[in-house]
Amino acid sequence: MVLKTGAGALADRRRLPTALRAVLGYYADTGVFDYASLSLKSEIDDRTEQMVDDVTARVEDALEAEFGQPVDFSYDTKLILPAQLTLGYVYRNARQQAPGDPVIDAIADGVPAVDETALEQGPAQDLAPREMVVRAEQMTRLSIEALLDGDMRDAINDEEFEDFEVEFEAGEGDRREPSKRREPWSGSEADRRRVAEVAQEALQSHLDGLLEDMPPVVAEAYQWAVDYSEAHQARDEHFRDLMTAAEDGDEDALDAVREEYKFATYDEEPATFTEREKALPYSKTQYARVGVIYDGMLDLYRLAGLDIDREFAKAIVLAIIGAQVWLDDVDDYDDDRREGQLTPVTAEYLLAPDDEAAYRRVVDVTEQYLDLAKTYATEADSPLTGVAVEYIYRSGVPGVLPGNPDR
């Protein structure tokens, strides 16, 4: 108990690295100390970075063909964290079953074998540890590409091109060292849109080819998640109208925000969630907004014959919803309020009697999601996921919100 108390105190010291504070904080909350999670995280980061580099190279080839000169391309996204955690989950399970290390230097490529009945009946066979690793790496490649493709689509639809970063190679007469011959690009808005469209089209083309080589059930599972999410996005204007009316003090609009957004009931219920998760505030809208994509991603791993524990799945989906609220929606509060974007954070500032109450409610909503995610991560024996959830919480900056007593 003394050690846990001391760990909690250390976790609150902001001068320590956030990753270390997350390990200590998770231990203080759960009694699980797994410093090896930091090593596993580093390993997963390195291996998934190679996968992202492969995707980037494909995009760079397409951009070079479009613009007629070599280009460095990068895309800023945080969306691949759940794929990284799932790969770490499989690595840990495979290593616990293997006499030697089933994770080798070469990262598996190619199309994974598919277990077409796995979603209904569970995995049909027990995979050897090395085969678990191979299929997990193959499906992680597919998942990363699908997640980037979806994020790029959303960015293009919202006309947000700042995350598509490009540098074109300087002219042939430049005698500087090769590493210094890249120049920042200041293209027109039309050029930036074209860069984004070429990048997304390159991913979509390759992704479509991969899905065509797999049984239809894989594409169907992926498309189900996309359709579910897009059905929520189609209501964006309705929610914006509600927010505008609520800002003007319309009591009916406030009631609608509460009933249709904060405590909305599920029409098509997710198999992953139980009544406990469905009862959380904003559960239905945030599951449709971000959670369903990762639920669908986990189904892809299941279709590869991998045994993905239900508690692990709940931990991932709850963590990503909590991260959306605590990191993105909190940081974007001023912009979202100004632009009429309804989120759990802006909703609380409409529904609460004052700013201080709204601030407390935002913290409470976040903690409900992240605390439950940590509980499920511990039950699934995935300390890496538990530490990641703690990292999300300790990375938040709620001080930017009105009503914060420390502001």
Side-chain angles (χ1 to χ4, degrees):
M1 181 64 69
V2 175
L3 288 175
K4 288 178 63 178
T5 302
L10 286 172
D12 290 334
R13 294 188 178 179
R14 295 187 176 276
R15 289 177 296 177
L16 294 177
T18 305
L20 177 58
R21 294 172 61 215
V23 172
L24 294 169
Y26 182 60
Y27 170 62
D29 283 352
T30 66
V32 177
F33 186 82
D34 191 69
Y35 195 80
S37 294
L38 291 179
S39 176
L40 180 57
K41 178 185 182 301
S42 178
E43 178 183 22
I44 294 299
D45 286 347
D46 289 344
R47 294 173 79 85
T48 52
E49 183 178 348
Q50 292 181 52
M51 298 179 188
V52 173
D53 286 345
D54 291 342
V55 173
T56 299
R58 192 173 301 117
V59 171
E60 288 175 343
D61 288 344
L63 289 172
E64 182 175 355
E66 176 70 19
F67 291 95
Q69 62 186 115
V71 59
D72 278 340
F73 173 82
S74 63
Y75 183 73
D76 185 22
T77 183
K78 303 171 185 175
L79 290 182
I80 66 171
L81 174 62
Q84 294 174 310
L85 293 175
T86 307
L87 184 61
Y89 173 77
V90 176
Y91 278 3
R92 178 180 171 87
N93 289 345
R95 282 169 165 160
Q96 288 174 339
Q97 300 175 31
D101 192 350
V103 182
I104 64 174
D105 290 341
I107 303 173
D109 203 345
V111 178
V114 173
D115 183 351
E116 297 189 48
T117 64
L119 297 185
E120 293 78 23
Q121 302 176 15
Q125 56 182 313
D126 290 327
L127 301 178
R130 177 56 194 161
E131 183 62 20
M132 291 168 58
V133 168
V134 168
R135 295 193 187 191
E137 290 175 347
Q138 291 171 329
M139 194 53 78
T140 300
R141 286 183 181 275
L142 178 66
S143 297
I144 285 175
E145 196 153 348
L147 292 170
L148 291 175
D149 173 62
D151 196 35
M152 286 183 181
R153 288 172 186 262
D154 290 343
I156 293 170
N157 289 337
D158 295 338
E159 298 186 342
E160 297 174 351
F161 307 124
E162 60 271 13
D163 290 335
F164 296 82
E165 299 178 8
V166 293
E167 288 184 353
F168 286 97
E169 187 172 295
E172 293 183 5
D174 194 321
R175 296 184 178 182
R176 291 176 294 173
E177 296 177 11
S179 62
K180 298 179 179 179
R181 292 178 189 168
R182 302 289 176 175
E183 297 178 345
W185 187 57
S186 56
S188 66
E189 185 74 5
D191 284 338
R192 291 188 173 277
R193 170 179 285 278
R194 188 58 190 147
V195 164
E197 291 173 342
V198 169
Q200 187 275 319
E201 288 165 4
L203 291 194
Q204 181 181 348
S205 176
H206 187 257
L207 185 62
D208 287 347
L210 292 176
L211 293 174
E212 287 175 4
D213 290 337
M214 304 173 77
V217 66
V218 178
E220 290 167 4
Y222 172 66
Q223 193 60 46
W224 171 81
V226 171
D227 291 345
Y228 196 114
S229 179
E230 289 182 347
H232 173 76
Q233 293 176 23
R235 301 192 68 198
D236 183 65
E237 283 303 318
H238 170 67
F239 288 133
R240 286 178 182 272
D241 290 342
L242 285 182
M243 184 168 173
T244 298
E247 289 272 25
D248 293 337
D250 187 320
E251 291 296 330
D252 289 339
L254 286 169
D255 288 341
V257 169
R258 186 177 293 106
E259 295 170 8
E260 297 180 30
Y261 196 76
K262 183 172 182 177
F263 295 115
T265 56
Y266 283 87
D267 301 317
E268 184 180 354
E269 298 191 354
T272 297
F273 279 177
T274 64
E275 292 302 320
R276 185 180 187 183
E277 294 79 53
K278 289 185 288 187
L280 290 169
Y282 305 102
S283 176
K284 190 253 185 178
T285 51
Q286 301 315 295
Y287 176 81
R289 181 186 178 197
V290 292
V292 68
I293 296 299
Y294 298 99
D295 214 355
M297 180 201 77
L298 292 167
D299 277 347
L300 297 184
Y301 284 90
R302 292 188 177 103
L303 286 169
L306 297 164
D307 189 5
I308 302 297
D309 188 273
R310 189 176 185 184
E311 276 63 41
F312 175 78
K314 288 189 286 190
I316 289 293
V317 175
L318 291 170
I320 208 66
I321 292 175
Q324 177 67 45
V325 175
W326 193 237
L327 302 181
D328 292 351
D329 294 344
V330 166
D331 286 351
D332 295 342
Y333 169 76
D334 288 334
D335 290 340
D336 288 340
R337 193 73 183 260
R338 183 170 52 253
E339 296 167 8
Q341 180 68 56
L342 193 59
T343 72
V345 176
T346 55
E348 289 301 345
Y349 280 87
L350 293 173
L351 298 173
D354 54 55
D355 285 352
E356 186 174 345
Y359 170 80
R360 291 198 304 270
R361 290 183 184 182
V362 170
V363 173
D364 179 64
V365 167
T366 300
E367 290 180 344
Q368 286 186 62
Y369 277 94
L370 296 184
D371 286 350
L372 194 52
K374 279 192 291 187
T375 296
Y376 287 133
T378 303
E379 291 179 6
D381 190 25
S382 181
L384 178 64
T385 303
V387 170
V389 175
E390 187 73 21
Y391 188 93
I392 289 168
Y393 183 68
R394 294 185 180 278
S395 298
V397 189
V400 302
L401 292 176
N404 182 339
D406 299 325
R407 190 176 183 181

